[in-house]
Amino acid sequence: MAKSPRITRRSFADYLLGTGLVALAGTVLYPLARYLIPPKVKEVAAGSVVAAKVGDLQPNSGKVFLFGSKPAILIHTGQGTYKAFTAVCTHLACTVQYRGDIGHIWCACHDGHYDTISGQVLAGPPPRPLAEFGVTVKGNDIVVTRTA
Amino acid sequence: MRIFARLALVGLAVGAVWFAHARPIPAAPAPAATPAAPSPARPFDSCVDCHRNLGGRLAAPALRIADDIHVKRGFSCAACHGGDPRAAGLEAMDPKKGFVGKPKPAQLPTLCGNCHSKPEVMRRFNPNIPTDEVARFFTSVHGQKLLKGDTRVATCTSCHGVHPILAVSDSKSPVFPTNVPATCARCHADAQYMKPYGIATTQYAEYQASVHGEALLKRGSKQAPTCNDCHGNHGAAPPGVTSVANVCAQCHGSQRDLFVRSPHKAAYEAAGLPQCTVCHSNHKIVQPSDAMVGAAAPAVCAQCHAEGSKGAASARAIRTALEDLKTSMASAADVVARAENAGMDMTDAKLPLSDAQTQLILARNLVHSLSLREVQSAATEGVGLSQRAADFGRAALAEIAFRRRGLIFALAVLVILALGLYLKIRAMPGPSASS
Amino acid sequence: MHLGGWLEDRLRWRAADAFLRHKAVPIVRHGYVYYFGGITLFLFVVQVVTGLLLLMYYKPTAEAAHDSIRFITSKVQFGWLVRSVHSWAANLMVFWVFAHMFGAFFVGAYRRPREVTWISGTLLLFITMTFGFTGYLLPWNTLAYFATKVGTEIVGAVPLVGHGLLVLLRGGEDVTEATLNRFFGIHVAILPLLTTMLLGFHLFLVQLHGMSRPESRGPARSVAFVPNFVLREALIWVIGLGVLATLAVLLPWPVGERADPLAPAPAGIRPEWYFVFMFQTLKLIPPHVLGIEGERLGILAFMLAALVLLAVPLLEHDDRKTRARRIALALGIFAVLYMAGMTIVGYLVP
């Protein structure tokens, strides 16, 4: 059938189809491409976290870091070993810290003291000890893992 | 048929072998041995045997005497009352054999102290039991009054019970921690009984309404203090006004440490005010709230600091710092909740929010230092953390808005495509008859 | 030589092209039923594409699975879109595979010569449900963990082979990381392989026999497959894309809490919605019926129903409105009402 000089409905439909298909291709391929590009954020490997590098922490000092969605504390003890515990105080959930002057994990809120051997309560209101995490040194990394 | 015979023989052989190796039928279990008697055979004790059958008032002491901690350790009635339990009949109560009968109240501390004040005696039963109770008792208000001749005061058996005297660790003992308030209340809540002494009798009721009372009496928590934890038990006396903080510091150490370096310590001492109880009361200690801090009633600061004074201004500023922190945390939590409800993952925001909560707890405790600077420092840090959480929330909400805009765009593209398809469909030739 | 000739030499595409151009789709009452298969196919393609994309970031271990999903939805660019589309399309696909099955059933499209098409289709339906069951566990969240526990427990009640099946599915006696490994392998390798073969076979058979034409009064009319039907199908697919995008943005699929096997099961655990009618049935059956354990009876009943479903073309195969046809129709309506009703009851009753 002959095509009339003005834009027929058919070719308008073709135009829409063409544009639509190209636009759809772009709308699908753009997110797809962005998806495949690896994100810059470090992958969160569930059960373990590199808490610090060897040499970051001086002996008899501690560092609070994020583990999962809760704070945790890594301690480089005066004897040279690494210990890791949850940093959520068992009294009222304040974030604890390490005090090198007394060698205890300490909660500033109500003066709770925990030992660094197994997280047991030494003084103050906390009712329960701090849960301990596993620490392994892999090369230059200090890796903290959830113990089973 | 021969096959069947062979099969039968094989079956018998297998059965025999199996039977031979089978576990023997277990013998019937031996009857349980009768449990050994808990104590060596009780020597003939005429006191208990006789009194038990007398009935009424005279029988009462003998009925449950077997529960008595002393009897369990091998003592007889004669250990306290004297006499000879081996003699039958009234010869057992011969004064020549040491019988003292019913001791007078004033004699009780000395009587009990005959054993309980002697370490060389007590260590045979418990090497760690204190042996200074009698000495302490005579320093107490009860002991002092007893020395002056007042026999209405509490003595050993008033609190520890008698016939039987139960161990302190026995939950039925009147001095078991959860029973102590009721024991003290027997006298101290009896307005009639306490009239000659002119002291209040509301302490028990107030204690029951307090957080300590609720913890101890309703929840059975042994962490909570009872009367003797603050007043002492044998050396019972109200703490002096300069000692209150140290009494409370048995548990509330950090608050005491903050208080003693605050301006209130010297001020209260000068005014003879009883430290912690000025704000927190002594018996009716309720859950503290931020409403206690401020320049106007119901804030406790207003008890002393008149409106317009420097103290009132400081109190108001401290309260403002706390309220500002709480407002900031609430609005951050709201933003985060909205983002979470819309489906965004808000784990990153939870940490600063919980850290902000830590700062609030810290700031509230720092109120005891009365230092505006310290409270504001903790509060400001908390506000910063809340804002960080709110930033996460707002970023998430912005992402949601971005996604919705993206959706509109994508739908627009699809609509164009759909329109194109639709028009083409309309332009198609109609259905044809199939062959 | 132009491209067409080059391809013709090597692929003989012109025969396929001619075939498609001659293919006709009947115009019938309830003609919309013809589109159901295409919708299901569209959703399957979406699943394959989004599934492959998810494979780029998903980690199939108990420790990392949940966090990898969290990572995809929160850190990977457009990860939220891929994941939500995958979850939504999965549910929609199960719905449409049932709709397609019932559609074909009610128009009698299983009759000669399409019996094998029907059987392959029924098998594909079972495979789709298995896809859903295995995929549901992969995020390793609380709901998924306990739903899998309940679901495999029910499998264990199948007579004779039940326990063996349970151990085989779970990779042990309990739901553990081993279960996750197995379900992952089943979901991304075994089932896709089976589906490719069966689906290819199913589609080939559909082309071979053409679209079925149920009985109708009046002259038989039809439209060309290309372009009429294809354009309409494309339009439906475009609408489907729009629906998926809207659902993914406005109703994102939740990530949930990481599964803790030591925690007690939350109240009101139930399997995914497309198993709820079975689950609810089992809950309602009395503990003992005629001396047989109620649960076993229920499972046997469902297995019987599945067999009947497979055997439909062998049971009812006459073109005329026979008694068998009426029974089949009645059973079909009963099945739809029963499944829908039990699903609703399963959600209303705590």
Side-chain angles (χ1 to χ4, degrees), chain C residues 79-334:
Chain C
W80 58 272
L81 182 64
V82 172
R83 197 256 165 156
S84 275
V85 166
H86 193 80
S87 299
W88 271 113
N91 283 273
L92 289 178
M93 182 176 169
V94 172
F95 174 78
W96 280 106
V97 81
F98 270 99
H100 178 44
M101 182 269 288
F102 277 118
F105 177 80
F106 283 120
V107 303
Y110 49 80
R111 294 216 196 85
R112 184 176 161 262
R114 296 180 178 83
E115 297 98 323
V116 182
T117 319
W118 170 269
I119 292 175
S120 63
T122 311
L123 291 174
L124 280 167
L125 182 141
F126 296 151
I127 289 179
T128 306
M129 295 180 80
T130 316
F131 258 122
F133 185 64
T134 52
Y136 197 62
L137 178 66
L138 300 186
W140 200 250
N141 57 32
T142 313
L143 273 179
Y145 177 83
F146 287 105
T148 306
K149 209 161 170 194
V150 167
T152 46
E153 204 76 55
I154 292 176
V155 166
V158 168
L160 292 176
V161 294
H163 186 76
L165 268 177
L166 182 146
V167 170
L168 213 64
L169 270 178
R170 285 184 176 179
E173 293 286 341
D174 298 304
V175 176
T176 59
E177 183 165 39
T179 320
L180 184 61
N181 286 146
R182 284 194 179 212
F183 276 30
F184 180 69
I186 292 170
H187 189 83
V188 310
I190 298 178
L191 290 181
L193 178 65
L194 286 175
T195 310
T196 310
M197 298 192 304
L198 259 178
L199 187 59
F201 184 54
H202 186 82
L203 290 173
F204 162 72
L205 286 173
V206 168
Q207 303 314 311
L208 185 65
H209 295 300
M211 309 301 274
S212 77
R213 178 189 291 280
E215 247 189 63
S216 58
R217 294 181 288 259
R221 302 176 310 151
S222 60
V223 287
F225 181 67
V226 176
N228 296 53
F229 192 81
V230 168
L231 283 176
R232 285 187 174 82
E233 183 118 76
L235 180 58
I236 290 180
W237 288 26
V238 165
I239 294 171
L241 263 179
V243 167
L244 281 174
T246 311
L247 286 170
V249 172
L250 296 181
L251 292 171
W253 207 264
V255 177
E257 305 276 315
R258 182 208 283 235
D260 179 7
L262 298 173
I269 273 293
R270 48 171 87 89
E272 309 93 279
W273 64 270
Y274 38 92
F275 288 114
V276 165
F277 75 95
M278 287 194 233
F279 186 63
Q280 188 61 28
T281 308
L282 291 175
K283 272 164 76 169
L284 288 177
I285 292 183
H288 286 277
V289 179
L290 305 171
I292 310 172
E293 216 180 288
E295 206 178 49
R296 278 181 205 264
L297 198 68
I299 290 170
L300 273 171
F302 282 119
M303 287 172 72
L304 191 67
L307 271 170
V308 167
L309 191 66
L310 268 172
V312 157
L314 305 173
L315 298 170
E316 195 281 302
H317 41 62
D318 217 318
D319 270 339
R320 296 161 297 153
K321 281 208 191 318
T322 58
R323 213 172 112 246
R325 175 76 179 146
R326 279 200 291 277
I327 294 176
L329 279 175
L331 275 178
I333 293 172
F334 171 71

Side-chain angles (χ1 to χ4, degrees), chain B residues 342-343 345 347-348 399-400 402-404 407 410-411 414 417-419 421-422 424-425 428-434, chain C residues 27 70 73-75 78 80 213 220-223 227-228 231-232 234-235 238-239 241-243 245-246 249-250 252 255:
Chain B
D345 177 27
T347 330
D348 284 339
E399 167 70 16
I400 291 174
F402 163 74
R403 291 179 190 183
R404 294 195 180 178
L407 175 67
L411 286 178
L414 288 172
L417 192 52
L419 197 61
L421 283 168
Y422 177 69
K424 277 210 88 83
I425 289 168
M428 286 295 112
S432 60
S434 73
Chain C
I27 297 185
R70 199 176 275 282
T73 53
S74 61
K75 300 284 189 298
F78 293 103
W80 58 272
R213 178 189 291 280
R221 302 176 310 151
S222 60
V223 287
N228 296 53
L231 283 176
R232 285 187 174 82
L235 180 58
V238 165
I239 294 171
L241 263 179
V243 167
T246 311
V249 172
L250 296 181
V255 177

Side-chain angles (χ1 to χ4, degrees), chain B residues 16 24 44 79 92 110 112 226 249 267 281 288 295 301 304 335 340 372 388 406 425:
Chain B
F44 176 66
T110 318
C112 303
T226 99
S281 166
C301 318
C304 300
V335 172
E340 204 162 24
L372 176 62
R388 204 174 332 145
I425 289 168

Side-chain angles (χ1 to χ4, degrees), chain A residues 64-127:
Chain A
V64 174
F65 60 97
L66 188 60
F67 193 22
S69 58
K70 296 263 165 65
I73 185 167
L74 173 71
I75 297 163
H76 191 179
T77 66
Q79 294 81 43
T81 53
Y82 287 102
K83 302 285 272 185
F85 302 92
T86 171
V88 179
C89 183
T90 57
H91 179 222
L92 290 175
C94 293
T95 306
V96 303
Q97 54 192 277
Y98 179 70
R99 278 184 53 183
D101 57 336
I102 47 175
H104 293 169
I105 300 171
W106 179 64
C107 184
C109 284
H110 300 102
D111 197 27
H113 293 249
Y114 301 89
D115 74 23
T116 57
I117 302 166
S118 54
Q120 295 290 328
V121 180
L122 292 171

